[in-house]
Amino acid sequence: MKFSLPKPLRLALTLAAVALLIYVRAQITREMDVANSNFSFFWLAGRMVLDGQNPYDETQYLAGHDVNGMDWRPNNIFPYPLPLALLCVPLGLFSMRVAYVLWQIVTLLCVALIVCLLLNRWREESQRGLFLPLFFFLLVFSPTYLTTHAGTIGILPALFIVAAIFLLDKKQNFWAGFLLALTLLKPPQGATILALVGVWFLARRNWKALGGIAAGGLALLVVGWAQDPRWVQKFLGAGAAVMDRTEGVHSNVWAFAYLACGGASPCWKIVGAALSLILLGAAAWLLWKNQAQWSDWQAFNLIIPIAFLSAVYLWMYDQLPYIIPLTWIVATLTQKRRSVLPAFIFLIALDALAIVSIAQLALTRNDMWSLSATLLTLFGLWLATRAKEKPAIDKAPAPA
């Protein structure tokens, strides 16, 4: 006789386990110097908007560093698109330390929510039962670990993409496109994502979704112009300064081109652009070829890692949307092989490489080891797609 806990009790135990895991993760950063972390930039931008100031005003922005004890000041203005400052306003309502802890909790809750929603797209209980172990492994996954540690916004693109997938299922194509346009709040990431998404929507003749992308991009421009008419020029200048001081350290084709050319320009820029276009072109061809066979989720499984690999500038924590294809890989392997073992082996390998990547970044300030997450994700997609479904084992009938 198979024993099963009542559903309310299972739900309560699951929520308690998630809360415990989040609490343990938060304890790791108790001694974090929040004022000199990436999080402080988002907090300061939100606080400045609340105070009626402009995060793109150099004098006001640097004065905010002085007032709040922020000694690390690599940027003269807020180094992200100005409309993002409005989304940071809730952070500015709290002290920096409290806001940092709350943002950690919110980020991890969003990771749990994304995994739960995606797994519930499967009807089988075996997939839904993967929630807790998958969430546990994702806590160690380098983008999740670094996002919560540094307090960055990597969860936002993941939320936009997951929401878009569900909206596309409900034929709310315009609003799906609108949300996808918001990935441009991290422009290097959003640009390559939208390039491939545009191909996918063109292949499917989804004109409403394309219109939503255009409307979303226009909305970002208008909101930014309302805050500062010169925000685009200022952002491009700040972005160029950031990329100039971090060339050759990211896990994308541009960085490898930089090393191959010994940092010589225009060699590395030409090679990087060529490699990026080749990757985007190959992915576009696969999307177009499989337009009838793939779901929107499967399309994004390919778009997310290829967009990262071909982007001109992204860090390890920007790989957080990988939780979307990783959830599909784990669930699909479990379904096809009728066992959690292949999925768990995959997750163990993923976390082992994640630990090495984090260690290398901490020791050398070089992010190239996070290429392993991209390559393993692409390998997992190939493996899960090609794996043959194992036939069910029929039980012998009981003797009369």
Side-chain angles (χ1 to χ4, degrees), residues 21 35 68 102 125 135 163 174 235 292 330 340 382:
L21 289 172
N68 294 287
L102 289 175
E125 187 63 32
F135 180 65
F174 176 86
F235 168 73
V330 168
V340 298
W382 176 84

Side-chain angles (χ1 to χ4, degrees), residues 58-383:
E58 183 175 332
T59 302
Q60 293 178 0
Y61 188 71
L62 294 178
H65 282 64
D66 294 331
V67 171
N68 294 287
M70 298 164 57
D71 298 323
W72 183 44
R73 50 191 73 192
N75 312 292
N76 292 330
I77 63 171
F78 183 51
Y80 292 87
L82 189 54
L84 180 59
L86 296 178
L87 296 182
C88 296
V89 166
L91 299 176
L93 295 171
F94 304 93
S95 69
M96 192 185 300
R97 167 61 67 174
V98 171
Y100 172 73
V101 174
L102 289 175
W103 184 240
Q104 276 190 312
I105 295 171
V106 168
T107 297
L108 293 176
L109 286 175
C110 287
V111 171
L113 177 63
I114 287 172
V115 172
C116 181
L117 289 175
L118 291 177
L119 287 177
N120 278 330
R121 293 168 70 89
W122 263 270
R123 294 181 180 179
E124 294 85 354
E125 187 63 32
S126 57
Q127 274 73 40
R128 298 181 182 186
L130 292 168
F131 169 72
L132 265 183
L134 180 53
F135 180 65
F136 172 78
F137 278 106
L138 288 177
L139 287 178
V140 185
F141 184 44
S142 50
T144 312
Y145 179 89
L146 199 60
T147 295
T148 51
H149 190 81
T152 58
I153 59 163
I155 195 61
L156 293 182
L159 288 172
F160 296 147
I161 293 171
V162 168
I165 290 172
F166 280 87
L167 286 171
L168 289 168
D169 285 347
K170 296 181 179 298
K171 306 302 180 185
Q172 298 293 318
N173 298 321
F174 176 86
W175 293 110
F178 191 94
L179 278 180
L180 289 171
L182 299 186
T183 59
L184 287 171
L185 290 172
K186 183 80 174 185
Q189 186 172 35
T192 48
I193 286 175
L194 292 181
L196 293 175
V197 166
V199 172
W200 177 247
F201 288 155
L202 277 173
R204 291 197 153 191
R205 294 176 173 81
N206 194 338
W207 312 118
K208 289 184 178 180
L210 289 170
I213 291 175
L218 181 61
L220 289 177
L221 283 174
V222 171
V223 169
W225 283 333
Q227 297 172 268
D228 188 324
R230 297 185 63 250
W231 82 268
V232 175
Q233 298 94 308
K234 291 181 180 179
F235 168 73
L236 291 175
V242 170
M243 286 190 285
D244 285 344
R245 66 172 180 262
T246 57
E247 292 171 349
V249 300
H250 307 115
S251 61
N252 56 36
V253 294
W254 294 85
F256 286 99
Y258 182 88
L259 294 181
C261 292
S265 182
C267 171
W268 74 269
K269 294 180 181 178
I270 294 173
V271 174
L275 292 174
S276 180
L277 289 173
I278 290 170
L279 273 177
L280 292 172
W285 177 76
L286 286 171
L287 291 169
W288 197 283
K289 178 184 176 184
N290 293 284
Q291 58 180 288
Q293 292 79 33
W294 287 0
S295 66
D296 292 303
W297 185 3
Q298 286 175 287
F300 279 105
N301 288 342
L302 177 67
I303 288 170
I304 291 168
I306 295 298
F308 180 94
L309 194 57
S310 57
V312 68
Y313 169 89
L314 288 174
W315 289 92
M316 184 189 299
Y317 45 68
D318 295 310
Q319 294 175 330
L320 192 58
Y322 283 23
I323 61 178
I324 297 168
L326 290 174
T327 301
W328 185 88
I329 291 167
V330 168
T332 302
L333 285 174
T334 302
Q335 179 189 41
K336 287 188 173 183
R337 304 312 298 161
R338 301 188 183 278
S339 168
V340 298
L341 184 59
F344 278 25
I345 292 174
F346 174 80
L347 289 172
I348 290 169
L350 187 76
D351 279 358
L353 289 171
I355 293 170
V356 174
S357 300
I358 293 171
Q360 287 296 317
L361 179 62
L363 293 173
T364 67
R365 307 303 300 170
N366 191 304
D367 196 29
M368 285 188 162
W369 273 87
S370 64
L371 176 67
S372 60
T374 302
L375 295 180
L376 196 53
T377 299
L378 291 172
F379 172 74
L381 290 172
W382 176 84
L383 184 65

